[in-house]
Amino acid sequence: MALLQIYKRLLKHFGRQYWWPADTSFEVIVGAILTQQTTWKNVEKAIDNLRENDLLDVSSLARVNLRRLEKVIRPAGYFHQKAERLKGVCKYIYKNYGDDLDKLFSKPIPNLREELLSLNGLGPETVDSIILYAANKPIFVIDAYTRRMAHRLGITDLDQYEDLRKYFEKHLPNDLELYQEFHALIVELGKNYCKTKPNCFLCPLRKECQFSQ
Ligand code: SF4
């Protein structure tokens, strides 16, 4: 089954998702860092706390006391590690770009990606989420749901992040909105049907799926 066909089927089934759930590009960055190894509900609590404490901007997070930040983002879990990462990323951005995220995001994708990947704690999934949803540039985000869907549907047995990203980008039109929606739809599929133990009965991809139970 072609990737574009899968996209259309998921879009018809779930409708548009309008990701990322954030008010600003900076909130996307914060959310992408906090969402590692936790649920979105917990991330929302941590972001609300940041907002209530007037910390939801680059300069405040670059200067905040680390212990205070740990307390504020505690609902997101792994708060020692995440506070350090969040502060580190904001310090870097503030030092090099001030509050001007547009300046950072004006770079071509390969340069922006390399720069973000060099920051402590930012792996490819987090960086590509930031590029796709905060910088609004077309790069395909791979996560555990994408990998699982690709393998179960028999699309490809490629497993490495970069191999899968290139595969998706090669077989889809280079279209920002499509990339943004498709990733969100794959997450919906993974949460609702293509779970560790799949619920194939109601899955919109069931007829073409090799793994279907
Ligand atoms: S049919 Fe089952 S295994 Fe295949 S994509 Fe749907 S939920 Fe996953």
Side-chain angles (χ1 to χ4, degrees):
M1 194 179 185
L3 284 178
L4 201 53
Q5 212 182 333
I6 294 172
Y7 168 69
K8 286 179 183 166
R9 188 81 59 84
L10 293 179
L11 185 62
K12 193 173 171 201
H13 184 84
F14 292 112
R16 281 198 68 176
Q17 301 298 304
Y18 300 101
W19 265 33
W20 182 288
D23 292 336
T24 64
S25 290
F26 183 64
E27 269 188 53
V28 176
I29 297 177
V30 174
I33 294 171
L34 294 182
T35 199
Q36 296 164 354
Q37 293 157 304
T38 192
T39 63
W40 186 250
K41 225 177 174 179
N42 292 334
V43 174
E44 279 180 330
K45 282 184 205 155
I47 291 180
D48 285 346
N49 285 353
L50 285 168
R51 191 177 288 109
E52 281 164 22
N53 283 273
D54 285 324
L55 287 172
L56 203 49
D57 60 85
V58 184
S59 57
S60 303
L61 280 177
R63 288 183 298 218
V64 68
N65 173 280
L66 206 50
R67 298 286 95 78
R68 180 179 171 217
L69 181 57
E70 286 175 358
K71 264 194 197 164
V72 173
I73 64 160
R74 199 183 179 99
Y78 299 94
F79 52 91
H80 293 305
Q81 197 186 52
K82 289 182 182 178
E84 222 168 87
R85 285 179 184 172
L86 192 53
K87 184 176 160 85
V89 168
C90 290
K91 256 174 102 171
Y92 175 84
I93 295 175
Y94 194 63
K95 186 176 163 212
N96 293 282
Y97 305 95
D99 280 319
D100 192 0
L101 282 182
D102 288 345
K103 199 170 162 198
L104 167 67
F105 291 153
S106 67
K107 301 188 175 190
I109 293 176
N111 305 44
L112 177 58
R113 192 167 196 254
E114 198 186 328
E115 190 170 337
L116 293 174
L117 280 172
S118 74
L119 302 179
N120 179 36
L122 298 197
E125 187 186 330
T126 307
V127 164
D128 293 345
S129 299
I130 292 170
I131 297 174
L132 182 63
Y133 293 108
N136 286 306
K137 289 175 185 268
I139 192 160
F140 207 88
V141 177
I142 303 297
D143 65 356
Y145 293 131
T146 316
R147 191 175 277 108
R148 185 190 289 158
M149 179 197 80
H151 292 170
R152 285 180 174 171
L153 281 170
I155 296 167
T156 173
D157 53 11
L158 292 170
D159 200 47
Q160 296 300 310
Y161 188 98
E162 282 306 297
D163 295 339
L164 273 167
R165 180 178 68 79
K166 285 177 187 158
Y167 183 91
F168 272 76
E169 290 179 5
K170 188 176 166 200
H171 292 88
L172 286 168
N174 185 258
D175 182 303
L176 173 66
E177 196 180 299
L178 186 149
Y179 283 14
Q180 289 178 330
E181 274 300 321
F182 200 1
H183 175 65
L185 289 165
I186 291 170
V187 172
E188 275 306 292
L189 176 79
K191 279 186 184 165
N192 290 285
Y193 305 119
C194 208
K195 309 173 191 183
T196 313
K197 188 172 179 288
N199 175 10
C200 302
F201 186 62
L202 294 170
C203 176
L205 306 174
R206 183 175 162 217
K207 279 188 194 147
E208 289 84 2
C209 185
Q210 296 179 358
F211 196 83
S212 174
Q213 297 181 338

